[in-house]
Amino acid sequence: MSRSSQHTHQLIAGLLVLLLAVIPISLCLGRYPISLEEIWAILRNAPVNETARGVFWTLRLPRTVMAVLAGAGLSLAGYVYQSLFKNLLASPDIIGVASGANVGVAAAIVLSAGNAFLIPAFAFLGGTAAALLTVLLAGMSNRRSLASIVLSGIVIGSVGESIVMSLKLFADPESQLAPMEFWAMGSLASVTASKLLTVLPGFFLGLVVLILFRYPISLLGLSDEEARALGVRVNLVRTVVLLAATVIVASVVSATGLISFIGLIAPHTARLLTRRNNVPTAVIAALVGAVLMVAADCIARSAASSEIPLSILTSLIGAPFLMVLMLKRRSSLFY
């Protein structure tokens, strides 16, 4: 085994240990604290306080699982977008996918009174439309450079925000406006076992597709000509992978709302740790995102008397990170 491979395996093992360390903390924290002894008794189906048992299975465990899936999914999607567009600034929120998914959620809340089954479908449609419009707009520009992807994403994201604000004008102030605001700030507070089940099909469908296309995705980091020379059907792979990553983002957003910067921070952290752009780096990005999300959710629940929206915490970390990245890589923001 080469030294670089050994280093990568050590990073993955270390991140798994860190993730397994923060998960029990997440399971214990909340307005109704649950001790590790109670959790062990619940898992063994031993006699325990029935309230603790109900809170654990209905709220606490689904919330922790959702935190892991959201962090890993957004980070993996961010890694994929950066590889597809050869742009180190591409992420679900920056290229407009998250904003488009949020438009879909807002529309579902207004048109269907927040039907639990329609929200993921509307989120997927909104995210997919935003991704396709971003690519289409970038392709229509005069220069057609990779830089235009980010600019197009900013435009589509701004349009999405305008649509959401317009939908708020027609929303019922008592039953619809508050949920729309809640989605925009991002939180895991409303995640339950039933809501988690609505997320899993789309999430794992997108994940399976990305796993199947893992090697073509790595090759797309090369130029299109080099990828074609290696046998990659660039346009087909890019379209399929883009849709798969969008399915993951839409599934997450449908349950958590907008969570900023996780899809940008984690892929860059992974590349800084490995100095590579390959499959193990994508795994590391997913693990970094999962750890960050679970840790941020723990802080959101415990740092103040009322729960802090997740996007506030992730933005406090992500905005300085993005600024430093731009200053240090002014001439190499693209592959």
Side-chain angles (χ1 to χ4, degrees):
M1 183 183 295
S2 66
R3 181 172 298 180
S4 61
S5 297
Q6 185 177 7
H7 175 64
T8 299
H9 291 160
Q10 290 173 346
L11 284 173
I12 293 175
L15 287 167
L16 281 172
V17 170
L18 186 57
L19 181 59
L20 292 175
V22 295
I23 284 176
I25 299 174
S26 177
L27 293 173
C28 293
L29 284 177
R31 293 189 178 276
Y32 185 91
I34 304 176
S35 66
L36 288 175
E37 291 79 7
E38 288 177 311
I39 291 175
W40 179 238
I42 292 169
L43 293 176
R44 291 185 296 116
N45 201 27
V48 71
N49 185 294
E50 288 303 315
T51 301
R53 189 188 301 275
V55 169
F56 177 81
W57 289 117
T58 306
L59 300 175
R60 200 66 51 78
L61 182 60
R63 178 170 184 156
T64 301
V65 172
M66 189 68 244
V68 173
L69 295 181
L74 292 175
S75 302
L76 188 59
Y79 180 90
V80 168
Y81 291 140
Q82 291 169 16
S83 297
L84 288 182
F85 301 131
K86 303 179 182 67
N87 188 317
L88 296 177
L89 294 180
S91 67
D93 39 335
I94 289 180
I95 69 169
V97 175
S99 179
N102 193 49
V103 170
V105 171
I109 292 173
V110 172
L111 300 176
S112 64
N115 185 291
F117 295 99
L118 288 180
I119 284 178
F122 275 59
F124 169 69
L125 292 175
T128 302
L132 294 177
L133 287 173
T134 296
V135 175
L136 180 63
L137 182 60
M140 293 172 60
S141 65
N142 292 329
R143 296 181 63 186
R144 296 190 179 183
S145 66
L146 292 170
S148 63
I149 292 289
V150 173
L151 296 177
S152 300
I154 293 173
V155 171
I156 298 301
S158 299
V159 172
E161 292 178 4
S162 300
I163 294 174
V164 171
M165 287 188 286
S166 300
L167 289 171
K168 288 178 181 179
L169 292 176
F170 301 97
D172 187 332
E174 296 183 1
S175 62
Q176 296 176 339
L177 191 57
M180 292 171 67
E181 295 288 353
F182 182 76
W183 287 115
M185 292 187 291
S187 175
L188 299 175
S190 65
V191 174
T192 61
S194 59
K195 181 172 289 189
L196 177 63
L197 291 176
T198 65
V199 171
L200 293 180
F203 183 93
F204 284 109
L205 174 63
L207 181 62
V208 168
V209 173
L210 293 185
I211 291 174
L212 293 175
F213 282 79
R214 59 191 182 278
Y215 294 115
I217 291 172
S218 299
L219 294 177
L220 286 177
L222 306 172
S223 68
D224 287 358
E225 291 74 17
E226 290 174 311
R228 288 192 180 94
L230 292 172
V232 177
R233 300 174 65 181
V234 174
N235 293 333
L236 175 62
V237 170
R238 182 171 287 137
T239 301
V240 172
V241 171
L242 177 64
L243 289 175
T246 301
V247 168
I248 292 176
V249 174
S251 299
V252 170
V253 171
S254 69
T256 67
L258 292 182
I259 300 177
S260 304
F261 287 110
I262 289 291
L264 178 66
I265 298 172
H268 283 293
T269 302
R271 289 190 178 94
L272 289 173
L273 291 172
T274 65
R275 305 292 181 182
R276 297 285 189 276
N277 189 48
N278 52 20
V279 174
T281 304
V283 174
I284 291 174
L287 290 173
V288 169
V291 171
L292 286 175
M293 184 67 75
V294 176
D297 187 46
C298 290
I299 295 172
R301 280 183 273 169
S302 59
S305 57
S306 59
E307 187 163 322
I308 303 172
L310 279 174
S311 281
I312 294 178
L313 296 176
T314 56
S315 295
L316 287 175
I317 300 172
F321 183 92
L322 178 59
M323 182 176 63
V324 171
L325 178 70
M326 293 178 66
L327 292 175
K328 294 183 70 174
R329 305 185 65 117
R330 284 176 293 182
S331 61
S332 58
L333 286 173
F334 309 96
Y335 291 1

